[in-house]
Amino acid sequence: MDSLFTTVLLNTLSLKVLMVMVIGILAGILVGTLPGFQANMGVALLLPLTFGMSADTGIIMLVSLYAAAIYGGSITAILFSTPGTTASAATAIEGFELTKQGKSGTAIRIATWCSAIGGMVGAFSLLFISPPLSLISLKFGPPEYFLIAVFGLITIASIASGSLLVKGLIAGSVGFLLSTVGLDLDSGYPRFIFGMSFLASGISFVPAVIGLFALSQVLAMVTQDSGSMGSGVAHYDKKDWKFFITLDELRQVKNTIMRSLGIGMVIGVLPGAGADVAAWVSYHEAKRFSKHPEKFGKGAIDGIAAAEVAKNTECGGALIPLLTLGIPGSTTAAILLGALVMHGLVPGRDLFTKYAEITYTIIIGFILANFLMAVIGMAVSRHIAKLTNINIGILAPVIVTLTVIGSYALGNNIYDVWTMVAFGILGYFMKNHGYHPAALVLGLILGPMAEKGFRQSLVLSNGNLLEYFFTRPISVTLIVLIVLTMVGPLLMEKRRQWKARIAG
Amino acid sequence: MRTDTLVAFLLIGLSAVFYKLSMDLTDGGDIFPKLLSIMTAGLSLVLLIMDIRKARAENGSEKESGGPKTLRPYVTFVLAVLYVAAVIIIGFFTSTVVFMVVMMLYLGVRKISNYLLAVAFVAAFYFLLFDKFLHVPLPRGLLF
């Protein structure tokens, strides 16, 4: 154990890992700062670069970007009332009020250090909760793997498409269907390749992700008029800019921090709700518990602390079901799942035994990245906000070239680039018509696992699949969860309509 | 035709193709695709019914939805397709420079310095990172 701890620590503190961490953080803050850019787009664009890296180094770069992008969105939310990401919308309410009062430094300081506290606690919980939780995966057999894949897909489908669950399910189902393209691993027989030999190895997941999340975003971005993305210049008082959060400030928000840590953690572990939900719930709870709720909406630092702590705690929390059971809690987590699989790491107990060195390096790296994020964030936030003045006319072509070179560099294969382009236009169409691409991506990633589990279950059940599924406790639990996830939102909607009718 | 109706028909067609092709597969390779084809077709049918009901409620006309009413995304997409085709023929770096200039012109970038800075930065960054550091054999094509 000691030697594992020492190796992990040395790995994490190596120059290479620290460098990729800094790159991931800077890229993340940039992605978070630019309105219209989401963490998933950043992770998709950086994914090809991790190919040449070891699994731990590559994943650390991606999780650093993930955390920093969630935080970075708050910088523009505070300075310009333009949340860089949806998760920062709650921060914008109080943060921009403080900016108008010349206290943008206070707002940024609170947001930055509270994000870091949330992120670090989230990462520590990942360290302590994941290993025991992963023991459950030891009890998994083929039916459970099949049901986990279905459950993961349904959670993403149900959040991604809101009330229109059917569209999310269609996207996931098509993702599953597309995952069957290529050689059948059992028989070695090619399936659905339509005479195109490059399809024999299946539809590459990374170009699909780059197309669905990056190219499609550029297509959406160019609909805006050319010009900068920022809106105006922030007012700030130089005296208000201090590097560290003060003890007095910490004392004011300590109760909010504690409460928001709990909220972020619970929402993170529950598959389905993302950082934006965590931020809003936490913000409203802070207002409800506040001795001065009247200050909310007028620049309450409690409001900023609540949203920031919860949304970054949620990041760590969302990785718990991902690493232990393979259930991604958000779109970005779905892409991270693909990255893990791409590096030969399968979520479950093996990650904490056979690949313990890699996994713990990633987790310790994630803790450190959250701290570094605050240091770098405080150093660059004032300057990076100026980047919102970059013209879309320049940014859009740069990103297109990045999507092309990124998907080409994967296997030095132009077919991957065409795959990316095809998924780019598909993603644009999907987003515009309510079919969220995350479900399709997850279908592509989880398809092979679902198929393997299903086919093995068929063999093991001797043809009586239903009896086989319903006599296994974990399978039954998963089936119940699947049904609840599908029916739950519909029932809540009916209840809301019923209540509205009674009130009306 | 309404968009969701069109999507439903397209997906039912796609499911039918996958199902038909699955019938030639052996050794259990057909089961999962068949199941998914049926599931996709079933869900598409639900979508179709929901859209027909919605159309009746809206008196047949589709409410303003979906994409913005501008050609920009589609022109950008066509330019991206031409760019990828050009990468194979004239090489990555030349096509990247041409694509960036054309795209910036189309999106209304005016300052010459913006063109020079953006193109120079991108070309240098890709050359150093992908060519020199990661040793990715980028397509050279007829020119560079």
Side-chain angles (χ1 to χ4, degrees):
Chain A
M1 194 68 192
D2 274 355
S3 70
L4 175 67
F5 181 73
T6 317
T7 316
V8 164
L9 213 58
L10 287 175
N11 283 350
T12 316
L13 295 175
S14 69
L15 189 65
K16 192 172 70 179
V17 169
L18 289 174
M19 264 174 64
V20 298
M21 218 182 266
V22 172
I23 293 170
I25 291 166
L26 283 171
I29 294 178
L30 183 65
V31 164
T33 307
L34 294 170
F37 283 44
Q38 297 285 339
N40 53 40
M41 181 186 184
V43 174
L45 280 175
L46 227 58
L47 198 52
L49 284 184
T50 68
F51 256 105
M53 300 175 185
S54 57
D56 46 5
T57 313
I59 306 287
I60 284 178
M61 182 158 81
L62 298 180
V63 292
S64 304
L65 185 146
Y66 178 28
I70 295 290
Y71 151 70
S74 303
I75 298 172
T76 43
I78 290 167
L79 295 179
F80 308 118
S81 188
T82 311
T85 54
T86 47
S88 301
T91 303
I93 300 175
E94 305 301 332
F96 191 59
E97 281 303 316
L98 283 173
T99 296
K100 285 197 285 189
Q101 297 162 23
K103 292 179 187 166
S104 54
T106 305
I108 294 268
R109 189 166 60 246
I110 299 279
T112 304
W113 289 105
C114 285
S115 286
I117 291 170
M120 282 191 286
V121 173
F124 269 111
S125 65
L126 182 65
L127 181 66
F128 294 115
I129 298 174
S130 300
L133 196 64
S134 68
L135 286 169
I136 299 175
S137 69
L138 284 178
K139 296 194 166 62
F140 283 9
E144 286 78 19
Y145 279 112
F146 167 69
L147 290 169
I148 276 283
V150 175
F151 180 50
L153 196 121
I154 285 176
T155 50
I156 288 285
S158 58
I159 45 158
S161 294
S163 58
L164 258 181
L165 179 67
V166 71
K167 285 189 176 182
L169 292 177
I170 284 177
S173 175
V174 172
F176 265 168
L177 200 57
L178 292 180
S179 77
T180 62
V181 171
L183 291 182
D184 174 19
L185 289 180
D186 278 1
S187 64
Y189 194 82
R191 298 188 295 187
F192 320 115
I193 64 169
F194 304 98
M196 291 179 268
S197 57
F198 73 93
L199 283 177
S201 54
I203 293 175
S204 306
F205 143 77
V206 181
V209 165
I210 297 174
L212 286 170
F213 293 102
L215 185 61
S216 70
Q217 192 56 41
V218 175
L219 300 180
M221 193 196 294
V222 294
T223 55
Q224 300 167 35
D225 287 332
S226 284
S228 63
M229 297 190 206
S231 49
V233 180
H235 318 275
Y236 57 79
D237 180 356
K238 277 186 183 165
K239 281 183 211 153
D240 188 46
W241 283 77
K242 290 181 196 129
F243 199 87
F244 289 106
I245 187 168
T246 64
L247 274 178
D248 187 44
E249 285 166 344
L250 207 54
R251 221 171 284 134
Q252 282 182 59
V253 295
K254 69 175 192 305
N255 290 338
T256 304
I257 289 177
M258 297 309 287
R259 193 183 317 109
S260 306
L261 285 173
I263 293 171
M265 187 55 57
V266 171
I267 291 180
V269 175
L270 286 177
D276 44 353
V277 177
W280 278 113
V281 171
S282 180
Y283 175 79
H284 285 298
E285 286 307 300
K287 191 176 175 182
R288 207 160 64 88
F289 277 91
S290 173
K291 285 175 189 159
H292 304 284
E294 72 283 355
K295 285 188 181 170
F296 278 71
K298 292 171 189 157
I301 60 169
D302 267 22
I304 299 176
E308 293 300 310
V309 167
K311 73 184 168 76
N312 274 65
T313 314
E314 193 272 347
C315 286
L319 295 182
I320 296 174
L322 178 75
L323 293 184
T324 53
L325 306 169
I327 303 171
S330 64
T331 307
T332 314
I335 303 174
L336 285 173
L337 172 62
L340 284 173
V341 174
M342 190 180 89
H343 281 283
L345 302 170
V346 180
R349 187 63 189 158
D350 272 1
L351 279 188
F352 299 91
T353 51
K354 198 170 161 191
Y355 302 108
E357 195 182 310
I358 296 174
T359 311
Y360 287 116
T361 303
I362 293 170
I363 298 176
I364 300 292
F366 189 46
I367 296 172
L368 185 62
N370 273 289
F371 177 73
L372 274 182
M373 176 189 84
V375 175
I376 295 174
M378 282 312 296
V380 302
S381 55
R382 240 189 308 182
H383 313 288
I384 210 156
K386 290 175 194 154
L387 284 172
T388 52
N389 289 325
I390 293 181
N391 194 311
I392 294 167
I394 299 171
L395 212 51
V398 171
I399 296 167
V400 174
T401 61
L402 260 179
T403 61
V404 169
I405 198 168
S407 37
Y408 179 83
L410 291 169
N412 308 327
N413 182 350
I414 201 74
Y415 294 117
D416 281 341
V417 185
W418 287 121
T419 305
M420 182 279 295
V421 170
F423 276 91
I425 193 74
L426 180 67
Y428 178 70
F429 172 83
M430 289 176 79
K431 282 181 193 169
N432 278 340
H433 295 280
Y435 300 84
H436 202 284
L440 191 140
V441 163
L442 206 60
L444 265 179
I445 299 167
L446 295 176
M449 181 173 104
E451 178 169 12
K452 196 175 163 197
F454 185 75
R455 282 166 75 171
Q456 286 179 345
S457 301
L458 266 182
V459 175
L460 292 169
S461 67
N462 291 320
N464 200 344
L465 203 62
L466 277 182
E467 192 188 318
Y468 188 55
F469 273 48
F470 280 99
T471 47
R472 300 171 68 95
I474 300 179
S475 284
V476 174
T477 313
L478 285 168
I479 291 169
V480 171
L481 285 173
I482 288 169
V483 173
L484 283 178
T485 312
M486 283 177 69
V487 179
L490 294 175
L491 288 179
M492 278 163 73
E493 178 67 18
K494 289 272 174 215
R495 189 166 167 251
R496 196 187 58 77
Q497 285 174 357
W498 182 71
K499 271 190 167 176
R501 213 178 301 147
I502 291 201
Chain B
M1 195 186 280
R2 294 165 63 90
T3 316
D4 284 348
T5 302
L6 186 69
V7 169
F9 278 125
L10 277 174
L11 288 178
I12 290 170
L14 182 80
S15 309
V17 171
F18 268 71
Y19 192 90
K20 173 78 181 62
L21 292 173
S22 302
M23 291 166 89
D24 300 331
L25 299 171
T26 51
D27 296 329
D30 59 325
I31 301 168
F32 200 59
K34 274 182 184 168
L35 185 78
L36 292 169
S37 303
I38 295 169
M39 201 168 86
T40 308
L43 286 166
S44 305
L45 204 62
V46 174
L47 181 72
L48 184 65
I49 294 166
M50 284 168 68
D51 202 43
I52 290 171
R53 280 189 183 171
K54 205 169 151 195
R56 280 193 192 143
E58 290 168 7
N59 254 344
S61 63
E62 190 167 11
K63 277 188 180 167
E64 284 291 314
S65 67
K69 305 289 171 267
T70 163
L71 283 177
R72 271 188 171 191
Y74 306 104
V75 174
T76 304
F77 178 69
V78 171
L79 287 175
V81 170
L82 293 174
Y83 167 43
V84 178
V87 164
I88 311 164
I89 303 164
I90 60 171
F92 177 76
F93 284 101
T94 318
S95 51
T96 298
V97 171
V98 174
F99 169 76
M100 285 192 64
V101 172
V102 173
M103 185 87 181
M104 286 199 281
L105 268 173
Y106 175 64
L107 294 176
V109 177
R110 289 205 185 93
K111 279 188 192 168
I112 299 284
S113 58
N114 280 342
Y115 284 86
L116 291 174
L117 274 173
V119 170
F121 176 78
V122 164
F125 178 69
Y126 291 164
F127 182 71
L128 290 174
L129 182 65
F130 288 94
D131 200 280
K132 292 292 163 201
F133 184 66
L134 295 173
H135 303 293
V136 175
L138 294 167
R140 296 287 183 190
L142 293 172
L143 298 168
F144 180 65

